[in-house]
Amino acid sequence: MTKSYDDKRDLAIVDDPVQYSCDYFLKIAKEAIEKEGQFSVALSGGSTPKALYNKLKDYKDAIDWSKVLVFFSDERSVGPNDPDSNFHMAMTNGFADLPIPTDHIFRMKAETNAHENAALYENIIKSKLKNESFDLILLGMGDDGHTASLFPGTDALNETSKLIVENNVPQKNTLRMTFTYPLIAKAKHIFFLVTGDGKADMVQKVLSDKEQKYPSGKVFSEKNKVLWILDEKSSANLSS
């Protein structure tokens, strides 16, 4: 059951967050295709969404997948076949099994020339999406409160105009490509999928932090509240 948490966020604390996320994804997709003729979605990397992507491949007949446009909210500086690639993870955990045209899947090319390729990715988004507004952005949250590749203390947190940037992440000793807050805020719908007791402390910190010290806490949509989909373990430290 979804409940209001504050003026920018709703919470859904559920027994099966993967199925809940799947149902929410398909609901937004159906609505977008019926209204606009296409559904634009940005996928998250990391380990948590793997189960969701594998679940979605069981719904090949649920929507017209030929009208789905797939983007990625961030990428690591590796090639598309590298196990650490967010693109590789999504494709090998379900999206390659869905009937989505290959030219509707837009990979971030972060392995080389990240600055130039970030600008190119931004141009693709501008050409494909009305007002650069995604129908849905999926996000996760790291143990340090980061989301996409918006890590604490990094330059991308302060970007106010570009939609996509390369971001130096000293704590990971790497360069990443990532969505920025201005782009994320344009999305019609955003949800975080966070599970497990290992995330309980950070979930509580992010959601209760009035100063928004953590990157995940700064995410909002100009159009609708951000939905946080949690299980009992990840929500254990939240006051009822």
Side-chain angles (χ1 to χ4, degrees):
M1 181 178 179
T2 301
K3 63 179 181 180
S4 177
Y5 184 79
D6 57 25
D7 61 344
K8 292 183 178 180
R9 293 171 291 202
D10 286 331
L11 302 185
I13 301 172
V14 295
D15 292 334
D16 191 342
V18 171
Q19 185 63 58
Y20 191 96
S21 298
C22 181
D23 293 342
Y24 185 76
F25 180 107
L26 295 172
K27 173 179 177 291
I28 300 302
K30 288 177 183 177
E31 291 174 353
I33 292 170
E34 289 174 2
K35 184 176 180 181
E36 302 292 343
Q38 70 176 30
F39 168 59
S40 57
V41 60
L43 304 182
S44 171
S47 58
T48 303
K50 285 183 180 179
L52 168 59
Y53 300 162
N54 275 301
K55 175 71 69 173
L56 283 168
K57 72 182 182 183
D58 295 332
Y59 292 86
K60 293 179 182 178
D61 299 322
I63 61 172
D64 184 350
W65 290 97
S66 70
K67 296 181 178 178
V68 176
L69 303 180
V70 177
F71 293 79
F72 294 83
S73 62
D74 73 312
E75 187 55 277
R76 299 163 178 175
S77 54
V78 296
N81 297 316
D82 191 292
D84 288 335
S85 162
N86 291 336
F87 169 83
H88 179 79
M89 183 278 283
M91 297 304 290
T92 56
N93 284 281
F95 270 82
D97 298 313
L98 291 168
I100 303 173
T102 56
D103 62 350
H104 283 199
I105 300 175
F106 303 94
R107 180 178 79 86
M108 281 183 164
K109 298 177 181 178
E111 65 269 30
T112 58
N113 303 317
H115 180 78
E116 292 85 354
N117 283 327
L120 289 173
Y121 205 72
E122 178 169 322
N123 287 336
I124 293 171
I125 289 172
K126 288 179 176 179
S127 70
K128 298 294 182 181
L129 306 187
K130 183 180 179 180
N131 300 321
E132 300 93 47
S133 179
F134 280 90
D135 294 306
L136 179 63
I137 295 179
L138 284 62
L139 294 171
M141 184 195 72
D143 295 339
D144 59 356
H146 85 268
T147 191
S149 280
L150 297 167
F151 283 81
T154 57
D155 291 343
L157 300 179
N158 302 313
E159 180 58 51
T160 59
S161 58
K162 294 179 180 178
L163 306 182
I164 309 290
V165 296
E166 79 282 11
N167 194 27
N168 183 38
V169 185
Q171 52 266 59
K172 297 289 186 180
N173 192 32
T174 188
L175 193 71
R176 302 276 187 98
M177 192 182 293
T178 186
F179 279 17
T180 61
Y181 288 126
L183 176 56
I184 294 171
K186 292 172 181 282
K188 299 180 184 73
H189 302 277
I190 302 167
F191 79 80
F192 280 85
L193 174 58
V194 185
T195 62
D197 51 16
K199 297 290 179 70
D201 286 345
M202 187 53 67
V203 166
Q204 189 276 329
K205 289 177 181 178
V206 167
L207 292 180
S208 64
D209 176 31
K210 302 304 181 184
E211 298 178 4
Q212 296 184 338
K213 298 187 297 290
Y214 304 98
S216 294
K218 297 179 181 180
V219 170
F220 77 97
S221 167
E222 297 167 349
K223 298 176 177 64
N224 292 290
K225 287 186 178 184
V226 175
L227 176 62
W228 283 68
I229 301 174
L230 309 169
D231 61 0
E232 293 295 337
K233 291 181 179 180
S234 61
S235 64
N237 294 355
L238 296 177
S239 56
S240 57

